[in-house]
Amino acid sequence: MSREHTPPTGSAAPEASYVRLLPGSRTPTYAFVHPVGGSVSGYVDVVAALPARTECVGVRARGLSPRGEPHHTIPTMAADYLDELLTHHEPENLVLAGYSFGGLVAFEMARQLRERGRTPAGTVLLGTYVPRHDVSRAERAATFARLISVIYRVPVERLRLHGLDDSGMVDRAAEVAERCDALPAAYRQADLRRLFQVLALNLRMAQEYDVPSYDGPVHLVRPERPDPQDTLHAWRSRCPAGVLTHDIGGEHNELMSGDHGVRIAQALAVLWPG
């Protein structure tokens, strides 16, 4: 799997979302949309377990570097990602897939493709829930803190985000993370405030996204825990062509890694044998 490449700061090239993860000649091509943190590095175990010669590409968030501005709505994000993807691939050869937040974006991309008169080879939601609109500020702050802890290994108890708005949460989290010895080496020289801003924006975008109807088939990969009881019903109410479920097991936060990632790759290979 190739590494994501970020040109040096000051480069004239605009920030691209499209990144090649694995070259290949088999069809279809899997396009993995970033989860809430913005990076596509979490797909490494799935990509590595796919059959030989499978082409995989990623779509990472804009705004992770100074050369790009982050998106503010999922429909706008999906439209821009589609435009970039379709300069490289025919839509009928693409399986659009996304983990958690990325599944919402992949779903919206598939829906917009149908509006353009085209249809992807498949749409896969990996542990993706239909978002709630009634999330309180305290709930969103707790989710933000949990994700900072999971992704960046910053202890939740050190964040103390209660009562802060999104900008305040981002500033506070960046200040704490910069002093955290457990911060992974890959992020030691990163602009943490920029990374955390993308995370906070994506959380807000998910809460505000009103999931529309989509008349193409959808595959829903589910973990064992947590899985709200109405998840399948919520997706089926928006997908009249049907939702096929694939139960992988395990925790939501571990769905893409280790044996669970291998099981996802095996399921994809069966669905689209090439």
Side-chain angles (χ1 to χ4, degrees):
M1 177 175 174
S2 64
R3 295 183 181 272
E4 297 176 56
H5 175 68
T6 302
T9 301
S11 170
E15 184 178 29
S17 295
Y18 180 88
V19 56
R20 292 191 181 275
L21 301 178
L22 194 68
S25 56
R26 292 169 58 105
T27 56
T29 295
Y30 294 98
F32 293 103
V33 183
H34 65 84
V36 71
S39 169
V40 294
S41 59
Y43 293 111
V44 61
D45 288 342
V46 175
V47 170
L50 286 167
R53 301 184 305 281
T54 299
E55 183 178 32
C56 297
V57 302
V59 186
R60 58 187 174 186
R62 296 182 186 175
L64 296 176
S65 82
R67 293 174 293 102
E69 289 299 318
H71 288 96
H72 291 266
T73 72
I74 284 179
T76 302
M77 174 182 277
D80 286 347
Y81 290 174
L82 268 183
D83 289 343
E84 198 167 342
L85 265 179
L86 297 185
T87 64
H88 301 276
H89 305 278
E90 290 296 318
E92 290 79 8
N93 291 332
L94 287 171
V95 171
L96 301 173
Y99 167 58
S100 200
F101 171 86
L104 296 176
V105 184
F107 179 86
E108 177 64 22
M109 291 167 69
R111 189 195 69 79
Q112 290 188 23
L113 262 183
R114 293 285 278 218
E115 285 189 341
R116 300 183 189 189
R118 310 294 291 270
T119 303
T123 305
V124 183
L125 313 180
L126 300 163
T128 301
Y129 309 139
V130 173
R132 292 167 44 213
H133 299 304
D134 59 345
V135 178
S136 67
R137 177 180 293 182
E139 285 181 279
R140 194 164 70 248
T143 300
F144 179 80
R146 178 178 56 79
L147 289 167
I148 292 292
S149 179
V150 169
I151 300 171
Y152 300 98
R153 302 179 190 168
V154 178
V156 170
E157 63 273 11
R158 293 179 56 182
L159 291 171
R160 299 194 298 274
L161 305 179
H162 181 72
L164 299 177
D165 61 12
D166 284 6
S167 179
M169 290 194 307
V170 167
D171 288 342
R172 172 65 182 167
E175 177 186 343
V176 172
E178 286 169 356
R179 302 196 306 265
C180 181
D181 292 338
L183 185 72
Y187 299 114
R188 297 279 170 82
Q189 304 301 318
D191 184 344
L192 293 175
R193 192 187 187 284
R194 183 176 294 276
L195 300 183
F196 295 171
Q197 180 186 35
V198 169
L199 175 59
L201 280 170
N202 287 346
L203 282 175
R204 179 177 290 276
M205 287 161 51
Q207 180 183 346
E208 295 174 349
Y209 181 51
D210 189 10
V211 181
S213 177
Y214 170 59
D215 62 356
V218 168
H219 295 269
L220 176 63
V221 174
R222 301 189 297 182
E224 183 179 357
R225 302 175 301 274
D227 185 18
Q229 294 182 357
D230 64 347
T231 300
L232 180 56
H233 172 75
W235 281 117
R236 282 180 171 164
S237 70
R238 291 161 172 81
C239 303
V243 177
L244 299 176
T245 60
H246 309 271
D247 293 330
I248 299 299
E251 301 282 348
H252 179 271
N253 287 342
E254 300 173 352
L255 187 63
M256 306 307 300
S257 60
D259 290 342
H260 300 112
V262 171
R263 291 184 198 130
I264 289 172
Q266 290 170 341
L268 295 177
V270 170
L271 289 168
W272 294 280

